[in-house]
Amino acid sequence: MIGMELAPIIQIGLPVALFMVMLGMGMTLEADDFRRVASQPRAFSLGMAAQFLLLPLLAAVIVVLFALPPELAVGLLVLSFCPSGTTSNLFSYLARADVALSISLTAFASVVTPFTVPLLTGWALQWQLGAAQPIPFPVIKTMLQLAGVVLIPVVGGMAWKSRAPQSCNYWQPGIHSLSVVLFVLVISAMVIDLRAQLPLFLAITGLVCVTMITIAMTLGWAVARLGRLNVRQTKTISIEVGMQHGGMALVVTQGVLDNSTMSIVPVMYGLLMLIPILVLVVSVRFYERLRFFDG
């Protein structure tokens, strides 16, 4: 459990940080980002299917193969229910992938996940904890809470950009920076609270997280190639499937369930997922440079 002195930082700071992240994301979106789906329906459909179907199935398989303790298993499953956030857009850009497709997938996920995550989390709790779960999971309350910190700020940010684009563009970098600072403070508070157990949790979940993201990125790449998508779209789907929205997962595991152990996997995954993603970006840029010099 979270210490009394840290509880306000996490319980209040976490939703506020996610709200600011999603507001900043909404401030970069336009209605055309949603309409763009019609121009590449196959790529969008494959991306959504990989995120919302393949990834939870992969997480369930990993839970069984690694025989994860129930609370850590729930943390991994909840994470798999939360598709990538705005960071994936940045890495798609760095990898010279299809940024428009990345934005479209992220935008639609922000609308859908407030309703899918609570339902799937209820199932995960029942599967892993069953009768050991002392309090029924509040599905409707969680839907409303996620809508308040995910959906509403996205819509508000889009409205701000539509009605006052200059003001929006001026404030967006500051809001993004503030959200990053808040997330760092919240995660730091959790690390402080769990510092004695952290080496053990890292030993248990480190390999799990690396395995998850590596297989997820490979599956995303394979699905895209089997779907006959071009290379830029393939890179995007691989990144989107590999990167998960750790902030949203933390709102569920820490903000709703108030369980520090469940929150370990989203924190570890958020740190470790950068390794395979950066390897992909560097490899792609190096390969393209070689092709340039080869003529």
Side-chain angles (χ1 to χ4, degrees):
M1 296 295 289
I2 292 294
M4 291 298 292
E5 68 278 4
L6 296 178
I9 298 175
I10 295 174
Q11 296 295 333
I12 298 174
L14 188 56
V16 171
L18 183 57
F19 183 97
M20 300 299 285
V21 167
M22 302 313 293
L23 176 62
M25 173 183 160
M27 294 166 71
T28 66
L29 295 176
E30 298 176 347
D32 286 342
D33 294 318
F34 290 86
R35 298 192 190 102
R36 192 181 293 116
V37 173
S39 65
Q40 43 188 358
R42 186 166 78 251
F44 177 80
S45 299
L46 287 172
M48 291 292 283
Q51 286 182 315
F52 284 93
L53 296 177
L54 275 184
L55 201 58
L57 287 174
L58 172 62
V61 170
I62 289 177
V63 162
V64 174
L65 289 179
F66 282 85
L68 284 178
E71 290 181 316
L72 291 176
V74 170
L76 183 66
L77 290 166
V78 170
L79 181 73
S80 74
F81 305 150
C82 303
S84 58
T86 54
T87 309
S88 65
N89 305 154
L90 170 62
F91 282 102
S92 288
Y93 171 77
L94 294 175
R96 302 188 192 279
D98 190 331
V99 179
L101 174 62
S102 177
I103 292 173
S104 297
L105 289 169
T106 302
F108 269 85
S110 68
V111 174
V112 174
T113 47
F115 308 103
T116 58
V117 170
L119 293 172
L120 293 170
T121 299
W123 165 80
L125 288 167
Q126 184 61 38
W127 176 32
Q128 289 297 313
L129 297 177
Q133 183 186 350
I135 302 174
F137 180 65
V139 174
I140 301 300
K141 179 182 177 181
T142 306
M143 284 184 179
L144 293 174
Q145 184 170 341
L146 287 179
V149 297
V150 176
L151 186 56
I152 290 176
V154 168
V155 174
M158 291 180 66
W160 187 353
K161 183 171 184 177
S162 175
R163 294 178 178 274
Q166 290 185 340
S167 170
C168 180
N169 292 334
Y170 176 80
W171 286 102
Q172 197 275 335
I175 288 175
H176 173 73
S177 298
L178 178 59
S179 68
V180 171
V181 170
L182 287 173
F183 260 121
V184 169
L185 288 174
V186 170
I187 292 175
S188 298
M190 293 178 62
V191 169
I192 291 171
D193 183 67
L194 296 167
R195 60 189 179 278
Q197 300 168 288
L198 212 54
L200 174 62
F201 284 129
L202 179 59
I204 296 174
T205 63
L207 181 59
V208 171
C209 291
V210 172
T211 300
M212 174 85 166
I213 185 173
T214 303
I215 297 178
M217 291 179 66
T218 303
L219 283 176
W221 191 283
V223 166
R225 297 309 288 170
L226 288 173
R228 294 180 295 178
L229 301 184
N230 62 43
V231 175
R232 293 180 67 242
Q233 292 171 330
T234 299
K235 288 186 288 186
T236 292
I237 291 180
S238 178
I239 292 170
E240 290 289 327
V241 176
M243 298 191 74
Q244 291 303 104
H245 201 324
M248 186 183 299
L250 284 173
V251 166
V252 176
T253 58
Q254 192 62 64
V256 177
L257 296 171
D258 192 20
N259 190 301
S260 300
T261 304
M262 291 181 185
S263 302
I264 286 296
V265 174
V267 171
M268 294 298 179
Y269 193 95
L271 297 173
L272 295 173
M273 74 179 181
L274 297 177
I275 299 172
I277 293 291
L278 288 172
V279 168
L280 174 64
V281 170
V282 172
S283 299
V284 166
R285 300 295 288 266
F286 181 72
Y287 175 71
E288 290 181 348
R289 178 174 293 185
L290 283 181
R291 290 185 62 189
F292 173 79
F293 285 115
D294 289 342

